[in-house]
Every structure is written in C-alpha cells, then in structure tokens.
Amino acid sequence: MKIGILEGNGIGPEIVAATKKVLEACDLGFEWVHVPIAQEAVELYGTEVPEQSLDLLRELKVAIKGPMSVEKMKGRILLTRKDGTSHIYPSNNNAIRQELNCFACPRPARGIPGISGRYENMDVVIIREISEGIYSAIEHRIQGDLASEAVKLITRAGAERICRWAFEYAIQNHRRKVTCSHKANAISLTDGLFLETFRRVAKDYPEIESEDLMVDATAYYLVKDPKRFDVIVTMNQYGDILSDLCAGLIGSLGLGAGANIGQECAIFEACHGSAPDIAGRGIANPTSLILSAVMLLRHIGRPDMADKVEQAVRAVLTEGRTITRDLGGTATTEEFTGAIIDKLRLS
Ligand code: NAD
C-alpha cells in the first residue's frame, strides 16, 4: 500500500523517519511516496502548497505528515487552484486541511503508567473541528493600523458534520459520553449555533451520554478531574488549545497523536509543532507521530497491528529505561525508536 509522506521541517524529518521505521517493522509492505510541500514545493512548482501535491494526496488517500513551521504575523498563503480560483489560508498546514476537505481532527490523550503521574488513568479524545472557526483567515485591518478584526465562521452544516462524527466515533470506539466544549455565553451566535446543533444531534444517539461545558471550565476540569471526560467535541481553536493541554497533562507534547480526516483523504500528524528549539539534535520524542501512525493502521483496517504497535510504545515508555529527554530520560530519537522496534519484534 502507498502512503504519502510530508516530511515537514524542524523536528518533522526526524520524527517522520522514526515513524517510517516502526511501520516498516510491521512488514505490511508499505511504499512511501514523497509529497513536496513548503520550501521544496516552492523550488519545484513555485508555490508552497501546489495542486500537484494536493492531487497526489487525493490519489493516495492516506499520508503521514511532519509538523511545519509557520511565520508569526505573516502566515497568509495564497493558493491558486487549477481552475484559476484562489483562496487565502493562514498557513500551509491549514491550506492542506482545507483543500482536501479534512474536517475532523481526533486527538487522543491516554495516560501512561510510570510516565503520566496523577494523569496515568486519563483517557480523553479531543475531536477538533478543523474546517471553520477562527482559523478561517477572514481577517482585516480597520482604518489602517488602528484596529483589526477576525471572523469566527461557524456553519450549521459544519457543526452538524463534526458533532455527528464525534458521536459515530464514540460508538465505533466503545466510548460512553460526548462533551461539547464551547463559550456560548460570550459568543452566543457562533458558539450558540455549535451548541444548539450538538444538542440536536445528541438526540439521535440516546445510547451515548451527552453534556456541554464552557471551554474555560473544560480546561479546569481536565486538570482537576479528567475522569469526568471521555470524548470532547469542540471548535477549531478550542480543540487546538485543549489538545496541547491534554498532551501536557499526560507528560509531554511529544505524546500527542492526531489526524486530519475528511471524505477525500486522511493525514496523520502529531498535535505539536516543529519544535525548532530541539530540531536537528536527534532528541525529539517521536511517540506523537508513531501513535498517529497507530491511528493510520486502524484507519486502513489493521487494528491488530495498531494494537501491537501501541502496546510496544506503551511498554517501552512504562519501563522507562529508554525514554527521551522531554520525559526525563536521556535516549535519542533513534535509541527510543530502536527500543520500540525490538519490543514489536518480540510480540
Ligand atoms: P511546538 O509544539 O513546536 O513546541 C512547544 C514545546 O514542546 C517546545 O519546547 C518543543 O521542544 C516541545 N515539543 C514539541 N514536540 C515535541 C516532541 N515531539 N518531542 C519533544 N519535545 C517536543 O510549538 P511552537 O514552538 O509554538 O511552534 C513551533 C512551530 O511549529 C511554529 O512555527 C508553529 O507555527 C508551528 N506549528 C505547526 C503545526 C503543524 O504543523 N500542524 C502545529 C503547531 C505549530
């Protein structure tokens, strides 16, 4: 099977290489197809997110993506399509998700014995909507530089699509409860529409418990009492922030897995960024992307192999002998990856 590879930058190429090695050890005959994006794509095609790469991803349907840096206060990607239409996106990460109609971003945070301390038993999945919200690049200045405003776009169709997806996810993954996280008291029309839609969709899933909670209270309870949560469905920015919080609670951003799922394509990527502060030193924790690859294995219908890889990763982490610096160890990315592969071969 062919899998698209978007290397990203910063620690991207390091954690992508580690993830490929683990997947190769599964002996499933994966064939890697390099997909150029960002600087490399500019050199080849003159643009950061070229149609050629998007078409390739549509054809492959499944890809692994390393994180990509986004310049602060500049991030506006003008993407021109084959039909001559164009669109502005806040970043190339966002452009890829939007052009491929990815809308659901599941980000599991499962505590690890020996690593996660009082969050050892945490088991929460954030389902972040990624096609609308405040990251829609609808922004402008008012009267020169006196003020600026951004539009938070929530559509009934977009809210319904993600809420339904969250309940379906809960059923398929034997989860008991879906919490909608919002701020409908302060942003009553946009977050209100999301909440109203959630409550309506919830009625179609009586077997799944449902509740809603303000996003600030969600953050509080995630820290104080994470056991009250199971699946959390939320808008783009809240999901972005809450998923980093969850990764931090279980021990490190280097543990935060994720995926961008849509009808056309599924791209598996960690929830963190390119970590420029540790890039090129061989010390990044690749768990986040390896566990994203576990999600890929489930997505392509290999839950058996997904379970094996996940168990190998968790066993190496729990044993604590070969863990990376973000978790208090001294192992390099390569040593840690090697320990997972050894464990996998024994299973
Ligand atoms: P970051 O997530 O890259 O890093 C935050 C902290 O976590 C840093 O100290 C970093 O060293 C650590 N960290 C992250 N991943 C780690 C890993 N796998 N192992 C060990 N430590 C890890 O956040 P940032 O520094 O704010 O962002 C860096 C760049 O990444 C920015 O340009 C940002 O725009 C971009 N970004 C990209 C994506 C994406 O590609 N999807 C997502 C978020 C941020």
Side-chain angles (χ1 to χ4, degrees):
M1 176 179 184
K2 290 183 180 174
I3 309 265
I5 296 289
L6 296 91
E7 302 259 344
N9 51 32
I11 59 167
E14 299 163 53
I15 61 172
V16 167
T19 303
K20 281 162 67 179
K21 275 191 201 159
V22 172
L23 285 175
E24 278 159 11
C26 293
D27 284 332
L28 294 176
F30 289 129
E31 192 183 319
W32 311 122
V33 181
H34 179 74
V35 183
I37 294 286
Q39 193 48 39
E40 185 192 0
V42 173
E43 282 154 27
L44 285 170
Y45 304 112
T47 173
E48 289 196 41
V49 185
E51 276 292 315
Q52 290 87 339
S53 297
L54 293 170
D55 280 345
L56 188 52
L57 287 167
R58 286 186 189 103
E59 189 189 312
L60 294 164
K61 296 197 166 20
V62 177
I64 286 174
K65 174 181 169 295
M68 284 192 275
S69 310
V70 182
E71 221 175 301
K72 291 185 190 83
M73 292 182 288
K74 169 187 173 277
R76 288 172 85 78
I77 303 290
L78 176 67
L79 189 140
T80 304
R81 305 188 187 95
K82 273 183 291 203
D83 63 7
T85 57
S86 58
H87 195 90
I88 289 174
Y89 290 108
S91 68
N92 43 27
N93 296 312
N94 186 283
I96 295 166
R97 289 173 181 155
Q98 303 275 354
E99 287 294 310
L100 297 173
N101 292 316
C102 293
F103 63 92
C105 178
R107 290 181 164 177
R110 193 171 157 219
I112 296 160
I115 294 284
S116 308
R118 64 177 284 245
Y119 296 98
E120 220 173 76
N121 296 319
M122 182 166 172
D123 187 6
V124 174
V125 183
I126 305 277
I127 301 207
R128 170 186 170 196
E129 206 289 330
I130 47 168
S131 72
E132 5 187 271
I134 198 76
Y135 300 157
S136 302
I138 314 171
E139 262 192 303
H140 53 261
R141 289 188 198 280
I142 302 167
Q143 293 181 9
D145 61 359
L146 285 185
S148 52
E149 62 184 13
V151 173
K152 178 169 183 173
L153 177 74
I154 300 294
T155 66
R156 194 177 290 282
E160 166 137 12
R161 180 168 69 167
I162 193 69
C163 290
R164 217 165 266 293
W165 199 90
F167 280 100
E168 293 292 336
Y169 178 95
I171 289 172
Q172 279 162 26
N173 292 279
H174 313 292
R175 298 273 174 172
R176 65 187 157 82
K177 178 176 172 187
V178 180
T179 303
C180 171
S181 185
H182 61 86
K183 192 77 185 175
N185 58 338
I187 320 175
S188 56
L189 295 185
T190 45
D191 284 32
L193 177 59
F194 194 89
L195 175 58
E196 177 197 315
T197 309
F198 171 80
R199 287 182 173 159
R200 187 168 43 78
V201 169
K203 291 195 178 112
D204 293 340
Y205 298 90
E207 68 276 42
I208 303 288
E209 193 187 331
S210 64
E211 66 164 4
D212 69 83
L213 205 59
M214 299 296 177
V215 65
D216 40 358
T218 309
Y220 171 74
Y221 283 120
L222 276 169
V223 174
K224 195 80 180 153
D225 181 23
K227 282 195 300 296
R228 73 171 277 161
F229 297 108
D230 193 353
V231 173
I232 298 175
V233 64
T234 191
M235 287 153 272
N236 207 337
Q237 187 180 35
Y238 304 150
D240 191 8
I241 297 167
L242 292 178
S243 54
D244 268 33
L245 172 67
C246 288
L249 292 176
I250 59 167
S252 167
L253 262 177
L255 302 174
N260 309 295
I261 313 251
Q263 302 298 345
E264 294 178 54
C265 192
I267 301 179
F268 295 81
E269 71 171 326
C271 69
H272 57 74
S274 57
D277 53 338
I278 57 164
R281 293 166 56 195
I283 57 169
N285 184 351
T287 303
S288 50
L289 197 59
I290 296 171
L291 291 180
S292 305
V294 164
M295 296 168 77
L296 179 154
L297 289 167
R298 295 212 168 92
H299 180 83
I300 63 168
R302 290 306 305 256
D304 52 335
M305 201 47 94
D307 288 348
K308 275 191 180 180
V309 176
E310 188 172 12
Q311 277 155 21
V313 172
R314 292 177 69 83
V316 171
L317 289 169
T318 296
E319 283 168 13
R321 280 195 297 273
T322 316
I323 54 173
T324 47
R325 289 176 197 209
D326 55 315
L327 299 174
T330 54
T332 61
T333 309
E334 210 175 322
E335 287 162 349
F336 175 69
T337 308
I340 293 169
I341 293 170
D342 289 346
K343 192 69 77 185
L344 196 54
R345 295 217 163 108
L346 287 175
S347 66

